């Protein structure tokens, strides 16, 4: 009355979404001999051959497996890098490894001991990055604020904190960005005198005072190198004093 049909499902290491196939009964035959299906009595067929029943198709679905939704992490080439303040904006690549099945997202936050978020030093756009079905690359967009203040290097970090949609997080979960030193935190040196000063040719030693000004930030002790150029008829020569 009952027989079993065995179907072997092969296991592999490839991330895959749901896969389905069907097993259908196409034909049945009676294997024994000696039956004559043409004989009838009173208009009725005495022997009847086997027939395919109503439920002749079985649909089998192999569920998604082997992290089909993927593993999300930062592109290893962008786990540490430096940008200039005037770059204005950066896009940090986030990759989806192995599977790309379905819509998934990854949440992120930032942290820093010196760079200030929220439009002071930098600004994150959003708090999650989205991957559509079949997509394996997305970006976290960050605006770098170009201020007029003199600043040392300002490092900050972006951390991937969680994933949704069945995806999981990988190994590279932190991207460290350094905003380079900007706007001369040690100050700017310039002459206060006119750029061209005319004096008479003296008969004796003359002392000419040139005034230097240090503007902006006044951090640290600095040393200034001086060079004097003499202009003569034949051209210009220089000597360090």
């Amino acid at each position: 009355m009952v027989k079993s049909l065995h179907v072997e499902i092969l296991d592999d290491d490839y991330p895959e979404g749901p896969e389905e196939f069907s097993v259908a009964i196409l034909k049945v035959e009676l294997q024994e001999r000696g039956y004559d299906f043409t004989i009838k009595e009173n208009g009725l067929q005495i022997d009847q051959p086997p027939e395919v029943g109503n439920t002749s198709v079985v649909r089998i679905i192999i569920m998604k497996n082997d992290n089909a939704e993927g593993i999300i992490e930062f592109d290893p080439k962008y786990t540490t890098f430096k940008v200039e303040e005037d770059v204005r904006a950066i896009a940090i690549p986030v990759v989806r490894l192995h599977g790309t099945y379905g819509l998934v997202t990854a949440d992120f936050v930032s942290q820093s001991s010196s760079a200030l978020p929220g439009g002071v030093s930098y600004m994150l756009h959003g708090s999650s990055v989205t991957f559509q079905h079949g997509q394996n690359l997305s970006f976290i967009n960050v605006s770098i604020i170009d201020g007029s203040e003199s600043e040392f290097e300002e490092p900050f970090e972006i951390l991937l904190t969680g994933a949704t949609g069945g995806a999981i997080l990988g190994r590279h979960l932190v991207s460290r960005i350094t905003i380079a030193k900007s706007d001369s935190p040690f100050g700017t040196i310039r002459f206060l005198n006119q750029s061209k000063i005319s004096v008479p040719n003296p008969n004796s030693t003359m002392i000419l005072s040139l005034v230097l000004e240090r503007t902006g930030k006044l951090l640290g002790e600095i040393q200034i190198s001086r060079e004097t150029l003499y202009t003569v008829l034949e051209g210009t020569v220089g000597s360090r004093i």
Side-chain angles (χ1 to χ4, degrees), residues 87-107:
V87 74
R88 302 290 184 179
I90 55 175
I92 305 172
V94 182
V95 296
R96 183 184 188 184
L97 304 177
H98 305 301
T100 59
Y101 176 80
L103 173 69
V104 301
T105 65
D107 299 325

Side-chain angles (χ1 to χ4, degrees), residues 23-191:
V23 178
I25 301 174
L26 302 179
K27 181 181 178 181
V28 292
E29 292 182 348
L30 187 63
Q31 298 299 302
E32 296 183 6
R33 302 189 178 189
Y35 293 95
D36 187 350
F37 300 118
T38 63
I39 300 176
K40 297 183 179 180
E41 290 184 2
N42 300 322
L44 299 177
Q45 186 174 328
I46 298 179
D47 296 322
Q48 294 184 359
E51 296 180 353
V52 176
N54 294 331
T55 307
S56 60
V57 177
V58 175
R59 180 179 169 215
I60 300 171
I61 301 175
I62 304 174
M63 303 302 292
K64 56 185 174 63
N65 57 88
D66 300 310
N67 297 123
E69 293 87 353
I71 301 173
I72 299 175
E73 62 181 39
F74 283 110
D75 185 330
K77 293 182 293 186
Y78 290 88
T79 53
T80 303
F81 62 100
K82 180 183 289 188
V83 297
E84 297 295 332
E85 191 179 63
D86 59 2
V87 74
R88 302 290 184 179
I90 55 175
I92 305 172
V94 182
V95 296
R96 183 184 188 184
L97 304 177
H98 305 301
T100 59
Y101 176 80
L103 173 69
V104 301
T105 65
D107 299 325
F108 59 84
V109 296
S110 69
Q111 64 182 22
S112 174
S113 59
S114 58
L116 300 177
V120 179
S121 298
Y122 67 93
M123 177 181 294
L124 290 180
H125 296 279
S127 59
S128 66
V129 59
T130 301
F131 293 84
Q132 301 293 333
H133 176 70
Q135 182 181 0
N136 62 4
L137 177 65
S138 192
F139 296 90
I140 296 175
N141 295 306
V142 184
S143 293
I144 305 299
I145 308 303
D146 187 6
S148 58
E149 293 291 328
S150 300
E151 297 165 317
F152 287 105
E153 288 187 346
E154 297 177 289
F156 67 95
E157 297 177 341
I158 298 179
L159 300 83
L160 297 176
T161 58
T164 66
I168 62 175
L169 297 180
R171 294 184 304 157
H172 303 100
L173 303 181
V174 180
S175 179
R176 296 177 176 87
I177 304 100
T178 300
I179 305 173
K181 181 178 65 176
S182 62
D183 301 310
S184 300
F186 298 106
T188 301
I189 307 299
R190 65 181 181 181
F191 283 109

